[in-house]
Amino acid sequence: MPERKLIDDCVHCGFCLPACPTYNLWGEEMDSPRGRIYLMKAGLEGEPMDAPMVQHFDACLGCMACVTACPSGVKYDVLIEEQRAEIEAARPRGLWDRLFRAMIFALFPHPARLRAAAWLQLFYVKSGLRRLVRALRLPSLLPPRLAQLEKLMPEVSAAALRTRLPASTPAQGTRRARVALLAGCVQRVYFPEVNAATIRVLAAEGCEVLVPPGQGCCGALSLHAGRDGEARELARALVAGFPADVDAVVVNAAGCGSHLKDLPRLLGGDAAAQAFAAKVRDVTEFLAALPARARRNPVQIRAAYHDACHLRHAQRIVEQPRQLLRGIPGLQLVEIADPEQCCGSAGVYNLVQPQSAREIGERKVANVLDASPQLLVSANPGCTLQIQSILRDRGLTLRAAHPIEVLDASIRGLAP
Ligand code: SF4
Ligand code: SF4
């Protein structure tokens, strides 16, 4: 249940309203941070949690733009997390909603299951079944959430699905640091090249890189959906599997990094979790603080950097990825308008709230297109999938890469 003290920190000034994507979309007070805090207060005072009330909370992206905008330091991130846990415990959802959420959480936080599903997906694509399904317009007959799942599935290849990361990679030249890499769930199955690039760049910059074997999910997706018991279990298991004698735990997915930095709050006085959290660094944050040693080769490209909310708002990492990109000769970095606005991906938001995710994503895509980039650079796999899916629907394509892939291409003298 949200803490009364945190609710009372809100002075109802409304400064957060223009930062909120759902308020911007619908102009509805109860779909603003301030309105949602009113609802939390009403809930604390005994108002029953009915379906419309739950819908206002479900519509929140958890993007934390309101946290950055709030001059009173209201901890909306903590409030919405506690509210979501309360909703999950009260179980006011319909059967189909519960089943769909159960399916998502039986799959996404389990890399082995996700990989097995990705092999099925590969068969679906390579056998021609997907072409047939789409030609017959069958996805339009599916419920919107399943249609969205079908549409958002990233491309996979057998080679990518067979990729396994080396347990240890030595530093090139004199060792400057020893780090452990979080492989991620979606990242390791669908974007193994991002992890491979992260290891290469870190090694080129003089870091020994360990990839602790058997690491599972960090629990970020579960926590953001109100499944705090599951999030705690996953986080504890992850911490236990990481070596303590490293200088940093490097993360290349924004949502995982913000969650892991906040572990002491989730796991209370757990000393191992506190020590672990203190070492967590986003890869761009880590590299920006390490004087560059590897030579950067020119990459002639016009690139737009998209801020993932869990980097920009939750971790306040804004300058570091831009700094790394600006350090690449020939790369022209362009800004996307309204960079503080979410793209609508937001963890599993675009799966459980496909309609509003779509409307929010359309605005982001319009701003991306206005910047006329040749490459979209984003540090979160969910954002890339969301933006590219909307572009595809418009018959457009735009290459996308993680900042670390662009840096890797520069160091290796390749095109990104
Ligand atoms: S959350 Fe912060 S910015 Fe928003 S209304 Fe409350 S005090 Fe004002
Ligand atoms: S987290 Fe994002 S969507 Fe939710 S209230 Fe705050 S700004 Fe609005």
Side-chain angles (χ1 to χ4, degrees):
M1 186 163 286
E3 254 183 79
R4 179 71 196 220
K5 195 189 142 314
L6 296 186
I7 288 177
D8 289 343
D9 284 343
C10 174
V11 296
H12 317 300
C13 64
F15 283 155
C16 55
L17 268 58
C20 176
T22 56
Y23 181 75
N24 286 337
L25 200 57
W26 301 310
E28 163 66 50
E29 175 72 19
M30 291 309 149
D31 285 310
S32 78
R34 183 174 64 184
R36 291 180 176 121
I37 293 172
Y38 276 133
L39 291 176
M40 290 175 197
K41 189 171 175 192
L44 268 188
E45 290 167 355
E47 190 154 322
M49 204 181 322
D50 56 10
M53 199 196 243
V54 171
Q55 178 49 35
H56 292 302
F57 293 123
D58 282 355
C60 170
L61 294 140
C63 67
M64 306 312 155
C66 50
V67 178
T68 320
C70 175
S72 303
V74 171
K75 293 196 167 85
Y76 181 86
D77 48 343
V78 179
L79 284 171
I80 189 69
E81 226 173 80
E82 291 173 346
Q83 183 62 47
R84 289 197 157 135
E86 167 85 1
I87 292 171
E88 287 311 300
R91 299 169 64 81
R93 301 183 191 285
L95 179 65
W96 164 239
D97 195 1
R98 274 188 279 135
L99 282 177
F100 186 74
R101 284 168 193 266
M103 182 198 78
I104 285 178
F105 287 98
L107 187 63
F108 283 90
H110 302 278
R113 291 182 204 167
L114 197 57
R115 198 181 295 277
W119 279 110
L120 289 179
Q121 179 195 336
L122 189 63
F123 171 76
Y124 172 65
V125 174
K126 294 286 177 202
S127 65
L129 208 54
R130 181 173 75 174
R131 219 177 20 248
L132 183 67
V133 163
R134 289 186 176 176
L136 295 173
R137 298 188 182 281
L138 294 182
S140 61
L141 303 177
L142 290 171
R145 287 171 165 182
L146 286 181
Q148 177 78 335
L149 192 58
E150 200 275 345
K151 204 165 69 177
L152 279 174
M153 282 189 309
E155 296 298 325
V156 278
S157 67
L161 289 177
R162 283 195 207 98
T163 302
R164 295 293 182 275
L165 299 172
S168 168
T169 305
Q172 287 173 24
T174 313
R175 190 177 87 177
R176 295 200 282 178
R178 186 167 188 261
V179 304
L181 175 69
L182 180 87
C185 298
V186 172
Q187 196 84 290
R188 102 180 63 166
V189 175
Y190 285 105
F191 301 97
E193 64 282 8
V194 174
N195 282 336
T198 304
I199 292 173
R200 277 194 298 268
V201 172
L202 287 167
E205 289 293 6
C207 304
E208 179 187 358
V209 188
L210 309 178
V211 183
Q215 53 176 295
C217 174
C218 65
L221 279 183
S222 306
L223 188 69
H224 298 154
R227 301 164 72 98
D228 53 345
E230 181 178 272
R232 264 188 213 101
E233 269 177 42
L234 289 168
R236 276 203 190 96
L238 185 89
V239 170
F242 267 66
D245 60 341
V246 289
D247 301 303
V249 174
V250 175
V251 181
N252 56 22
C256 308
S258 69
H259 164 66
L260 291 174
K261 286 179 177 177
D262 202 24
L263 276 191
R265 190 172 60 77
L266 181 69
L267 298 183
D270 185 320
Q274 285 181 6
F276 179 94
K279 290 182 180 175
V280 173
R281 298 284 181 279
D282 181 75
V283 64
T284 60
E285 179 185 21
F286 180 80
L287 287 170
L290 196 68
R293 195 164 80 179
R295 179 188 146 85
R296 271 63 168 161
N297 294 295
V299 176
Q300 303 294 347
I301 204 152
R302 183 178 160 89
Y305 175 72
H306 161 70
D307 287 277
C309 295
H310 279 89
L311 269 194
R312 186 180 182 105
H313 301 301
Q315 299 185 58
R316 311 280 168 117
I317 293 177
V318 178
E319 193 44 39
Q320 295 92 323
R322 289 175 168 83
Q323 179 190 323
L324 292 175
L325 292 169
R326 280 195 210 102
I328 298 175
L331 187 143
Q332 185 194 353
L333 185 63
V334 290
E335 289 293 329
I336 298 171
D338 299 332
E340 73 292 341
Q341 292 284 304
C342 181
C343 66
S345 164
V348 297
Y349 186 89
N350 54 357
L351 296 178
V352 293
Q353 302 285 331
Q355 186 54 38
S356 42
R358 173 78 198 198
E359 291 170 33
I360 290 163
E362 290 282 0
R363 291 179 174 207
K364 179 60 71 179
V365 164
N367 287 338
V368 169
L369 292 174
D370 280 349
S372 310
Q374 296 166 303
L375 180 74
L376 176 71
V377 184
S378 154
N380 207 42
C383 305
T384 306
L385 291 175
Q386 163 81 348
I387 294 171
Q388 286 196 315
S389 153
I390 296 174
L391 283 167
R392 257 196 320 272
D393 284 352
R394 293 189 182 189
L396 301 170
T397 51
L398 176 60
R399 284 186 296 160
H402 190 287
I404 203 71
E405 292 181 285
V406 187
L407 201 51
D408 179 51
S410 167
I411 291 172
R412 297 165 77 204
L414 307 170

